[in-house]
Amino acid sequence: MLEAPVKNSDEIETLLRELAPQVLGAVVRRYGDFDSCEDAVQEALLAAAVQWPEEGVPGSPKGWLIRTASRRRIELWRNESARRCREETVAAMAPPDPDPVPAVDDTLTLLLLCCHPSLTTASQVALTLRAVGGLSTPEIARAFLVPESTVAQRISRAKQRIKAGGAEFRMPPPDELAERIAAVLHVLYLVFNEGYTASSGAALHRVELTAEAIRLTRQLRERLPADGEVTGLLALMLLTDARRPARTRPDGALVPLAEQDRGRWDAEAIAEGLALITETLATAPIGPYQLQAAIAAVHDEAKSAQDTDWPQILGLYELLRHLAPGPMVTLNRIVALAMVQGPRAGLAQLAEAETDPALAGHHRVHAVRAHLLDLAGDRDTAREQYELAASRTLSVPEQRYLASRAAQLATSG
């Protein structure tokens, strides 16, 4: 029986995204073929998005989607089988009745399959957002500012590679689980970062990506509540995303952390993030995401930029540098060092860090150098570095901010 018609399409969209991995998990568990099952579920989600706003949401939305996807899967199976052997009877080909709706939630298994080590990172991201996040191919393409055909190819190739590699829809053995969970966390981290500071385009944020990354990480934590790094990643996302309302001006221009109106930060998200990171640091082995969340917590707890506990942040970056070294960790640690020991100390280490090929010529290296030169009183060289940084980033808001900083130094010099 159908409920009264639902007018709020946003609520339906949210429901469909929550149900997408559960439905796909149920259908793949029953039929075993990820490729055709994923296509069938996407068609079921599309049908629901069209029908439910007019006809109402079914009493069992998950059951409706599973039955619809199963019928579509049967059609695909029949068409494929008919090409191979048209004389087989429908009865011989028909799979069992898809009811009842399974109580098991296969979201974690699905995430692990989408982040299979045989796939490239780009394919892992695209397949995760489509299969687990419920985003359509056009939505993923718009979020990453790439052609729809590119996303479609990534998803298609990913499914083909999973099929060719014989990957099964099941939890990996215990000795592989930690590595596979790490891959899932990496994908969710990449999705969040791209949404929080878009690498290209006119907008600084892509809220659909940050929201999806947080939602999926919440789901992952529900299934792995004792995993410190899962909790750490969720805390990091919440503590970081809490600042989003203050990161841009009405015209879209970027506002750096030190200049943000902290009264506009999301206090509820900060409180949740602080509680999560405090609990996990006390109970779980320490990891990189927990350290990054702890750094974010120190920033968020400071009532003003001047109140920031930079020595504590520097100490956390020292730990992070040993646990998970990387170019952005290096840059951020240098900024913290400069805030503790002075800009000249930071500039000296920046010159050394720039020998890393991953940082050579990166716009953020020039931006950090410009900031430190400005603090050291060398405004002319700082202006040149800001201009150089602006010319090397593809993000329009970052370009505007860096160019404005250069202009300010030119007029004040």
Side-chain angles (χ1 to χ4, degrees):
M1 178 180 295
L2 296 180
E3 298 175 350
V6 176
K7 301 297 184 182
N8 192 332
S9 59
D10 289 340
E11 291 181 1
I12 291 177
E13 181 180 351
T14 299
L15 176 62
L16 291 175
R17 287 187 175 170
E18 290 175 352
L19 291 176
Q22 301 175 39
V23 173
L24 180 55
V27 177
V28 174
R29 179 179 289 277
R30 180 171 293 276
Y31 303 115
D33 182 356
F34 180 84
D35 192 354
S36 61
C37 288
E38 201 273 336
D39 289 339
V41 170
Q42 287 295 319
E43 293 193 25
L45 293 170
L46 179 60
V50 173
Q51 295 178 33
W52 290 3
E54 297 297 328
E55 301 176 5
V57 177
S60 174
K62 181 178 176 181
W64 188 98
L65 289 167
I66 290 175
R67 286 190 295 272
T68 303
S70 295
R71 285 196 295 268
R72 182 54 183 149
R73 170 65 180 81
I74 291 169
E75 293 173 7
L76 294 171
W77 186 19
R78 285 172 175 164
N79 292 339
E80 182 181 350
S81 298
R83 285 192 295 270
R84 294 195 308 264
C85 185
R86 295 184 180 277
E87 296 170 354
E88 291 188 26
T89 64
V90 170
M93 291 184 287
D97 188 345
D99 288 330
V101 176
V104 65
D105 186 347
D106 291 312
T107 302
L108 176 56
T109 307
L110 194 58
L111 270 169
L112 292 169
L113 184 62
C114 291
C115 298
H116 195 276
S118 66
L119 304 179
T120 65
T121 300
S123 294
Q124 290 175 338
V125 168
L127 193 57
T128 297
L129 288 175
R130 161 119 174 205
V132 189
L135 274 67
S136 67
T137 300
E139 285 176 321
I140 299 170
R142 286 195 300 271
F144 285 93
L145 300 183
V146 296
E148 186 176 334
S149 59
T150 300
V151 174
Q153 288 175 357
R154 288 175 183 171
I155 293 172
S156 177
R157 289 171 183 167
K159 291 190 291 187
Q160 290 172 8
R161 186 174 288 273
I162 286 175
K163 183 177 181 180
E168 297 181 0
F169 187 72
R170 60 178 178 82
M171 290 291 287
D175 60 333
E176 295 180 12
L177 186 58
E179 183 179 355
R180 296 284 291 279
I181 292 293
V184 171
L185 294 178
H186 180 61
V187 166
L188 295 176
Y189 180 71
L190 289 177
V191 172
F192 178 84
N193 280 346
E194 181 61 26
Y196 190 70
T197 303
S199 58
S200 61
L204 181 65
H205 303 119
R206 293 180 191 149
V207 180
E208 68 275 24
L209 289 181
T210 53
E212 192 58 27
I214 291 172
R215 186 181 73 83
L216 293 177
T217 307
R218 281 193 190 281
Q219 289 189 351
L220 187 59
R221 184 172 181 269
E222 289 174 2
R223 287 147 188 81
L224 299 170
D227 191 306
E229 280 294 80
V230 174
T231 301
L233 179 58
L234 178 57
L236 172 62
M237 290 179 178
L238 292 169
L239 292 166
T240 304
D241 195 55
R243 306 177 204 142
R244 177 165 46 84
R247 287 188 79 217
T248 54
R249 295 189 172 89
D251 62 356
L254 183 150
V255 181
L257 179 62
E259 299 174 19
Q260 289 174 17
D261 177 1
R262 300 184 178 217
R264 297 183 61 200
W265 288 358
D266 186 337
E268 186 176 336
I270 290 174
E272 182 183 1
L274 289 174
L276 287 170
I277 190 57
T278 300
E279 176 187 358
T280 194
L281 284 176
T283 58
I286 196 167
Y289 294 118
Q290 293 158 273
L291 287 173
Q292 291 180 71
I295 292 167
V298 175
H299 281 297
D300 287 9
E301 287 181 307
K303 296 187 181 301
S304 68
Q306 293 72 28
D307 293 331
T308 303
D309 188 345
W310 284 107
Q312 184 179 357
I313 289 176
L314 178 58
L316 290 168
Y317 270 120
E318 291 289 359
L319 289 174
L320 186 59
R321 181 173 64 159
H322 291 292
L323 274 182
M328 291 305 109
V329 171
T330 298
L331 277 185
N332 291 333
R333 178 193 160 277
I334 287 172
V335 172
L337 176 78
M339 299 303 292
V340 175
Q341 299 182 10
R344 292 298 177 188
L347 286 166
Q349 292 210 4
L350 186 63
E352 180 181 346
E354 198 174 15
T355 60
D356 181 349
L359 287 175
H362 197 290
H363 78 276
R364 286 183 181 160
V365 172
H366 297 295
V368 168
R369 179 175 285 115
H371 174 61
L372 298 184
L373 286 167
D374 188 13
L375 290 176
D378 189 348
R379 294 188 171 183
D380 289 339
T381 312
R383 175 181 52 80
E384 295 172 359
Q385 289 295 308
Y386 274 127
E387 290 173 346
L388 191 55
S391 69
R392 293 190 174 182
T393 178
L394 299 178
S395 168
V396 174
E398 284 189 334
Q399 288 174 358
R400 292 169 60 191
Y401 167 72
L402 294 167
S404 70
R405 292 292 299 140
Q408 290 171 12
L409 289 174
T411 57
S412 63

